[in-house]
Amino acid sequence: MTEIAHGIDIYYENKLNVVFFSDGTRKEYTIGGILFEIFSDEAFYMISEKVGNMIKCFPANHESLSVESITSGFKWLYGTIMDDDFPVATELFRSSFDEKISESLETMVDESEFACVGDFLDKCFKAYIEDMKTFALYVDSLAADASGIADDFGSVIAESFKESVVQWNDIYSKRCSRRRRNGNITLETHKITNFLQLLVFEYCRMKKEKKVLKQCLNCGRYFIPKTRRDAKYCFEVSPDNPNKTCAEIAPQKIRSEKRKNDPIEREHNRTYSRLAMQAKRAKEYGLDPKIYYNRIDEEVNHYHAEKAVTNNILKENDNV
């Protein structure tokens, strides 16, 4: 089977991951970008649920088990689980599923344990999908942990992953070399044949560049902060408003929710807005805006004093 599935080769240069495919094509990704391709809704469906569906649709599903029928079944999946927009997802599915076929063949005692090739491919799919679940669990736990929203289980999973990949930090943190000899250029690359290997590679690269994978607290999508590592929201279009990003709209939502549920917050916002408008219009009427700016300062001080009293009362109640 290995002559069919090849995996991908990654060359790292100038903070870009250059992915080389078996057909001679290449594609550049920023750090973390390969993971974002994998976890797009369309790509993840293609390499998970759709695989099981296509196995059931395999025309020769009920043929007896043989090298020919297995090869035919894999080629069927090879040709149906693919998308030019998701080349890494396509290629890693092929090499990952190929690994499960090889493992199943090595551990198979008797061909008679499978009624047909469909049963065999279904067994391979179940083993493959368990690996996909592990991969997704690690990604989700790492992102939630970095975002401060992981539960105890997620934190343990994240720490377990970090400890397990320490040995790969030096390997994947080094810049790949380029050698010229006799007019030819040879590139040092990293071979990736399954999704967990890809996660280890991307994690080590992000760590090297002091970047971190996080989960947006507004939309739930994964993102890598562009500047501040403590960023809570992504810069993708918000599902709440197609004209704004999550980073723009989320703080507004939080303030709106506070004003809705907190009478002190609501009254402060009303008073502050009124004084700010009066200060803005003061010049139009020939008045001194400093009067209103002073009133704004007084209002802000009053607001913080009230909030401090409220917070102290809440702390006292918690300690009772």
Side-chain angles (χ1 to χ4, degrees), residues 47-258:
I47 59 177
S48 56
E49 186 177 343
K50 185 179 179 181
V51 179
N53 293 337
M54 295 313 297
I55 289 175
K56 296 174 184 176
C57 295
F58 175 42
N61 191 292
H62 297 293
E63 285 190 8
S64 59
L65 188 65
S66 66
V67 173
E68 291 75 16
S69 63
I70 293 173
T71 302
S72 177
F74 183 65
K75 285 184 176 180
W76 162 263
L77 293 175
Y78 186 103
T80 56
I81 308 300
M82 63 179 297
D83 193 313
D84 292 339
D85 291 332
F86 312 119
V88 171
T90 297
E91 200 64 40
L92 285 188
F93 155 71
R94 293 171 177 174
S95 55
S96 295
F97 202 85
D98 179 59
E99 286 181 359
K100 294 308 168 188
I101 290 178
S102 298
E103 290 173 7
S104 296
L105 288 173
E106 290 175 2
T107 58
M108 185 172 61
V109 177
D110 189 349
E111 294 181 11
S112 62
E113 63 181 290
F114 299 103
C116 59
V117 66
D119 286 348
F120 176 80
L121 293 176
D122 186 59
K123 176 190 175 182
C124 295
F125 171 70
K126 289 177 180 177
Y128 162 80
I129 213 67
E130 284 302 313
D131 282 357
M132 289 297 294
K133 289 178 180 178
T134 301
F135 164 70
L137 176 62
Y138 277 135
V139 173
D140 195 54
S141 297
L142 287 169
D145 188 60
S147 304
I149 58 174
D151 56 19
D152 291 342
F153 176 72
S155 295
V156 170
I157 294 297
E159 289 305 315
S160 173
F161 176 84
K162 294 175 186 178
E163 292 175 3
S164 67
V165 302
V166 169
Q167 59 182 319
W168 293 97
N169 284 333
D170 290 340
I171 298 174
Y172 287 147
S173 62
K174 292 180 181 178
R175 180 176 176 175
C176 295
S177 64
R178 179 195 296 255
R179 298 178 181 176
R180 297 176 182 271
R181 185 175 182 180
N182 299 328
N184 296 319
I185 298 177
T186 302
L187 300 180
E188 174 192 17
T189 61
H190 296 291
K191 188 73 173 180
I192 305 294
T193 60
N194 61 57
F195 295 98
L196 192 54
Q197 284 181 353
L198 174 64
L199 176 58
V200 174
F201 173 84
E202 286 276 49
Y203 173 80
C204 292
R205 286 299 194 196
M206 284 188 280
K207 186 175 181 181
K208 171 67 175 179
E209 299 299 329
K210 295 181 172 54
K211 294 183 179 294
V212 63
L213 180 70
K214 303 188 75 172
Q215 187 173 8
C216 178
L217 301 189
N218 184 58
C219 67
R221 290 173 292 195
Y222 300 128
F223 76 105
I224 296 176
K226 296 179 180 179
T227 52
R228 296 179 52 179
R229 287 169 61 94
D230 61 350
K232 298 179 180 179
Y233 311 106
C234 71
F235 288 90
E236 299 297 325
V237 174
S238 171
D240 306 295
N241 187 333
N243 298 316
K244 293 187 176 182
T245 65
C246 287
E248 293 173 321
I249 203 169
Q252 297 175 8
K253 287 174 59 179
I254 292 174
R255 288 194 295 269
S256 178
E257 194 65 26
K258 281 185 176 180

Side-chain angles (χ1 to χ4, degrees), residues 275-276 278-280 282 286-299:
L275 291 172
Q278 289 175 344
K280 182 178 179 181
L287 301 175
D288 185 0
K290 289 184 179 179
I291 298 175
Y292 298 99
Y293 288 133
N294 289 335
R295 291 179 182 176
I296 288 176
D297 290 339
E298 291 174 0
E299 167 57 28

Side-chain angles (χ1 to χ4, degrees), residues 304-314:
H304 286 303
E306 281 196 301
K307 291 297 291 184
V309 171
T310 302
N311 291 336
N312 287 333
I313 292 174
L314 292 175

